[in-house]
Each structure stands twice: as structure tokens, then as C-alpha cells.
Amino acid sequence: MEKIKIWINNRLAEVKKGTNILEAARSAGIEIPSLCYLKDISAPGVCRVCLVEVEKNQKKTLQASCVSLVEEGMKVFTDTPRVRHARRRMVELLLSEHKRECTSCVRNLNCELQRLADRMRVRKIHLQGERLEHLVHDKNPFIVRDYNKCVKCRRCEAVCKNVQGVGALAAQHRGFRTVIGPAFMKDLSEAACIACGQCVMACPTGALTEKESIDEVFLALADPEKFVVVQTAPSIRVTLGEAFGMPVGTVVTGKLAAALRRLGFDRVFSTDFGADITIMEESHELLERLKKRERLPLISSCSPGWVRFCEHFYPEFLNNLSSCKSPQEMMGALIKTYFAQREGIDPGKIVVVAVMPCTAKKFEAARREMVTRGLRDVDYVVTTRELARMIRQAGLNFSELPDENYDQPLGISSGAGNIFGGTGGLTEAAVRMAFAVANPGAREPIIELKELRGVRGIKEASIDLKKGGKIKVAVVHGTRNARRVLERIKRGEHFDFVEIMACPGGCVGGGGQPIFGTPEHRELSAEYRRKRAEALYKIDLAEKLRKSHENPAVKVIYEDFLGHPLSKKAKELLHTSHAAEGRLPDLKTPASRRVGDKKQPARLIYNVPFSSKRKKKRLNIGEGV
């Protein structure tokens, strides 16, 4: 591309034509603070924190660097007294409307606004004025919205629309009363939200957070009448370490098991075992459909965010979805049936806690379909972030914990079950199994579909199953990419199997994973996802068991309990059905912390200096947020 020369702080720099000033400065080693900007996704220029001084025609003006493009010979100044004063004032304006409860906020010490205030040396808020006091929206079981902490950066809206292709969030009301939320200020459970949590990952403050289940889990652990079992998703073992300062992609399987045991869980199992069972069921389901040549392509149903997306936007593909429950739900059902029967425990006293990388797993656990024999499959879901808080609260030095193993029998897993955590892993694992079933007695290769790995949003391959014939598969991550593939299928393009994960990168990029707390969120996230996925594939390479059907615990559970894949009992416990829904179907939601009417008005508060003797006045401004 054509390059042009500009001056940044009196130093000559050569940058690509069409670059904005913020990126040009970064390429020159100068970090301009920003809040609303997400590279290649959103540059609304609303926060004005990235102001710089630009000299043109011997006149200097303040411009937002994220929306101002470089010009030949341009002179930019990023650290003049005028710039510092303007930036500080912008941060003060944001803080004047902000609910400043940093010490009790879930994003304390990991908040971009907090870091900006520290960088700008904001020690006192000189700009006092009105602010709205909003009610906290916490009625759904997956995401909490607190508009008192919203800085209106619109990053959540941009990610929801431009990355996920959902568009559940947008600006509501006008001017001072503007908030970012679903249409008509509905709860997320009543909107076209897929609960993926990517908005939470993009939020710079604590305005969007996951619905915590920590207190409920600790209460269950303290109840002597309860038998509390925990299961951990494949990706947790390569992401939890980041919350304790370990390098990205560090494998912490042994320390994870040790930490959970010290928290007081009665059994520590691996959801990877559930992934192995899922592969067994889904591979047989694929071969059955291929044989009958019906309801193709078979589309994966392991990602609850994707399932929700399909229910909302593509109900015509619901018959194509696999009937398999996700590994999380399969594990829950097996714990309360097979494990309870094996150990002689009353299923009604078992509490199943799932540690998941995704806020959509909280939504999934609350669905009416996820009940087996009158008991909910999974009682509580905690994200990677929540587990990290629990470990800190318990005073455990995570990095110093010894390496321990998962409990038996549901703690044994294969490498195939482990790679579920990255995009393409499900397909690779299913193909290994499908090849074995389609070619009984043949020497089975360790199939590694490297063309289906990596960060590309859509990957395709043609795979020869020998006696099972050739199949065409697609691997998709991110629901915006899912739209593209589904539209191609509607136009007549053929696939036999399609894996879709709602979150970019699959579970390693889930909405419950550690938040970076830096403005480089989008640039870092792709690299983080790549390293996490590579760590999962390294675990697979190191495993002695790399195929789900070779897992001895899987063999035993089929011989002693399930019978065979797609058996009557397997379908009762491990499979479900899907139906088009206009809203979230009958969730078993925790009671809201709010008291009073549903529609309580926002309150307008006049902030006055602390030294003033006047009291805060509250003014009812009618129905609203």
C-alpha cells in the first residue's frame, strides 16, 4: 500500500495511507489512550479520550485520533499541555456520571476506565452535575447489566453487531438518558440475545458482567446434606492460569484438579469425558444420516450460543441440528444417573457444578429441556473468571499447588475429547470416531485435520472415510460467519457436517474467559485464542488415548449402563430436541435482587461538591431505564 510521511511529536514517521492517527502513533511506539475504539470493528469517536493536537495551516486543533486519517506532512502532537488537559477533562466527565464503587466492583483492578483515570492522574472530580441512577438488570441467569457503570462507548453494540452478527444491543433513548441495551429496554432473555458473552468481554468497565453463582456454590459446599460434584470444560485447563499471571496457553490441568479438591468438592470430574460421550453419539448420528441421506448437513449442537442463534434467526435449520446434548449437560445427566447408581447416592442430594468458558452455558443449564428424570442436569455454572475469584477467596496459592488427577470414573478422557475446546476440534474428534465405525477391523489412523485448525472464520475440507465414503465438512466460529455458511447452504451448496461455535475461536474465546482489561482487547484476543488452541492440540499429542472409543471408562459406561450409542437409554439421557422460539424458553432463573415493580423509573441525582451542605435532590423523570 502507498505510504505517506507525517510528523508525530516532531519525529518523522512513515505510515500506510488511510491509517488513522491512533494506529499511526502506535506503529511509531506511542500509545494514545482510548476507550471506545476497537481496531477493525468500531471507531465511533464518542469517548474523546484519544484527543490529539493536529497542526494544519499554522493552526492547531484537537481531533479524535481514532476517526482522523493521516495526511501527507501532517503534524501531530500527542502530549501537549492542551492535550493532557482535554483528556483529563474527558475522563472527569465520564467519572462524573459513573457509579464509583471500585473496591466492590467485579472489574476492580481490571477496569479500563480505572486505568485511564490513573494514567491521567485524576485525583479529584471537578465536574459535578446530574447523573441518572439506574436499576440493575439481573433477571436472566447469564448476564447482568448495570447502566450506572456504562460509559456509552458502544463497544458491546459493535461486537454484537459486527462480530457476532446478532444486533441485540443498540442505543436507547436520547442525549443524557442514552443507554445501550435491547429494544424497548427488555431483558436480554426476552431479546434476540444468544447469551454468548462477547459483549461482556468487550465492555471496558463493570457495566456488563456474568451472573455470578459463587455464593450459591459455596453454600452447597457447606451443606453436609449435599454431595457436590464439579466438572471442568476442556478449555479451562489452558486459560485458568492466565488469571494468576501465568503465560497464555499454560496447561494447568493438575493444579486445576487440586484447587477444586481444596475448595471442598466431593468429586472432581472432567467434562472431557462428556465430550468423548458426545463424540460417540454424534458420530453415530452422522453415519446414520449419511446412510439414509436425510437431514443433511448434520450441524453440531454443542454450543448453546449457536443453538440460540439458530432458534432466533434460522429456525429452518433446527431439523439439521444434532439431537445430542452438549458435553456439559451429558455429564450432568450421567452424574445424576449412572454415577449416583454406581455409588449408591440419592440423585436428589447431588449438586452438579460446571466450570465453563461461556456465559451461554448458564443459559443452557437453565433451559427447560435440560432436565432428566425430574432433576436438572446441571445446577450451577461458574465461568473461568468466577472460579479464579473462588480460588483467591479461599486463599489458595494457585501456582504453588501440586499437580493432581481427576477422580474416577468420569475423569478419564481422550485427546479427542480435549480438543473440543478449540474451533475445529469437535469435527476432528468426530471424524476419528466415524472412520473407526465405518471401517470396522481396519487399522485406524490418528486423523489430524490441520486444514480445519487456525483462526480463519470459515474452514472447509473433503474427508475420505473409506467405506463410509467422502464427506464434505465445514468448521465455523462466530455467529456472523455462521450466517454466511447457512446462506450458502440455502442457495444449494452441499455439506455433510457443519461444526458451528458461537464464540470466536470456539470455547478458548468464550465469554467467560479471562478479560484482558486493556484497549488492545481485539488485537490480543486473536493471538490469545491461537495460543490456547495450540496448547490443547499439544495435550492431544501427548495423550496415550487419542480416540474417544478407546477410552476405557467410555467402554464401561456403554457396556454396563447405556448399551450402545443411540440406544433408548442413551436417547433418554443424552439427547434433546429443538424448537423455534421467539424468546428464551421457560428459564429457571434465580430470584432477582431487586424489590418492587418491574417498571421503576430511573432517578435523576444532582451531584454537588462534598463540602456543600445541600442534600442530593431526586427527581422522578418517569418510566425509563
Side-chain angles (χ1 to χ4, degrees), residues 186-197:
K186 289 186 175 181
D187 187 81
L188 289 173
S189 63
E190 301 171 322
C193 171
I194 64 173
C196 66

Side-chain angles (χ1 to χ4, degrees), residues 418-419 422-426 428 432 448-449 452-454 532-542 546:
N418 183 75
I419 59 178
T423 176
L426 186 160
E428 191 167 327
R432 292 179 190 177
E448 294 184 350
L449 303 176
L452 297 181
R453 300 178 182 180
R532 292 165 177 172
E534 286 177 354
L536 290 176
Y537 286 112
K538 286 178 182 177
I539 295 173
D540 174 41
L541 279 171
R546 298 187 64 192

Side-chain angles (χ1 to χ4, degrees), residues 35 47 49 87-102 111-131 148-151 205 607:
L35 200 61
C47 73
V49 174
R87 287 178 185 167
R88 187 180 296 176
R89 277 288 184 261
M90 295 313 303
V91 174
E92 284 186 31
L93 281 168
L94 291 173
L95 290 171
S96 71
E97 292 185 5
H98 195 71
K99 187 178 181 180
R100 299 190 295 276
E101 54 174 23
C102 296
C111 169
E112 292 180 44
L113 181 61
Q114 191 180 52
R115 292 185 183 186
L116 270 176
D118 181 62
R119 177 175 172 176
M120 299 294 107
R121 292 189 303 106
V122 177
R123 302 292 180 256
K124 185 179 179 182
I125 311 299
H126 297 89
L127 306 171
Q128 301 288 346
E130 303 90 356
R131 73 174 180 85
N148 300 295
K149 299 176 183 176
C150 179
V151 292
T205 66
N607 286 330

Side-chain angles (χ1 to χ4, degrees), residues 131 604-608 613-618:
R131 73 174 180 85
L604 183 63
I605 298 177
Y606 292 99
N607 286 330
V608 294
K613 294 182 180 180
R614 290 188 297 154
K615 295 182 179 179
K616 291 181 180 179
K617 297 180 181 178
R618 299 177 186 270

